[in-house]
Every structure is written in C-alpha cells, then in structure tokens.
Amino acid sequence: MSQVPAELKYTKSHEWVRAESDGTVTIGITDYAQSSLGDITFVQTPKVGANLAAGEVFGVVESVKAASDLYAPISGTVVAVNKALDSGPEVVNQAPYGDGWMLKLKPADASSVSALMDSAAYSKAIG
C-alpha cells in the first residue's frame, strides 16, 4: 500500500504538491509513482526562473524500468530545484515526500492548488 499523506494535493499523473507558508509550493512524485518506476537512476528538473503552465512537461525521471515525463501540477515560476537529485536520484525512492522533492514553484494563481485531488481522491484513483 502506497503512502498518501493527507496534507498534500495530488495529480492524476502522480505528482504531489505541498503549499508552503511562504506562498510557494513544493512538488515531487508520489510514493506510488516511485514504487511503480522502480530504482530511479536520473531526474531532470527545469531551470530556476522557468515559467511553467499547468500540465506542461517540466522534466523527466528515468528508472531501471522506464522513463517518464514529469508534469507541472499548476502554472507558475520555478524558484528552486533539488540539486541533490543530480548526484543522488535514488533519494526519490527513499523519501519521495521528503528529501526527494523536485522543485519549488511560485504559483501564478495560489488558488489553483485547491483544485488538485486531495489524499482521499488520489487514494481512490490508485486503487
């Protein structure tokens, strides 16, 4: 059974979003996604300052099984990326909701986060 923390929001494409107190959001992939991919070997993240549109591909995650695109859950500007993933992509497998975060975004519309799935809806979606 995959972990689905109640305080996060989710997308159908298996990204999670955490609203931070400074108005930014932190984004990563879910426990379900990392488990489905297997051992992650590479994570490509966007550049700081990039403007992303909701649903736009922002990167790629590669594993021993497959490569998958990463999709922006909401629109906004990239304010930070997790550089630790460059040398240690396996941390996504070890802590997908912690040290395995991928990027921080300043939302174009802060209310867009509330339109994402809550933990109950995401749990139902992944069965």
Side-chain angles (χ1 to χ4, degrees):
M1 188 80 184
S2 296
Q3 293 179 10
V4 184
E7 69 276 15
L8 303 178
K9 295 289 194 170
Y10 301 91
T11 67
K12 290 180 181 174
S13 54
H14 309 292
E15 287 84 13
W16 58 260
V17 177
R18 179 176 54 234
E20 306 292 352
S21 60
D22 64 359
T24 63
V25 298
T26 302
I27 298 168
I29 64 170
T30 66
D31 184 44
Y32 175 84
Q34 68 80 21
S35 178
S36 297
L37 285 166
D39 294 336
I40 293 175
T41 57
F42 176 76
V43 178
Q44 178 188 28
T45 54
K47 293 184 178 190
V48 172
N51 290 311
L52 303 176
E56 180 181 0
V57 173
F58 72 76
V60 174
V61 61
E62 294 180 7
S63 72
V64 294
K65 291 183 180 176
S68 295
D69 288 336
L70 300 166
Y71 298 94
I74 60 172
S75 299
T77 304
V78 177
V79 295
V81 296
N82 188 351
K83 289 293 186 190
L85 300 181
D86 292 347
S87 59
E90 67 277 1
V91 76
V92 176
N93 292 118
Q94 298 159 359
Y97 301 115
D99 291 341
W101 65 276
M102 295 181 174
L103 63 103
K104 294 182 185 285
L105 199 68
K106 181 177 181 185
D109 177 3
S111 67
S112 60
V113 174
S114 62
L116 300 173
M117 286 189 283
D118 63 17
S119 61
Y122 183 70
S123 293
K124 187 175 180 180
I126 61 173

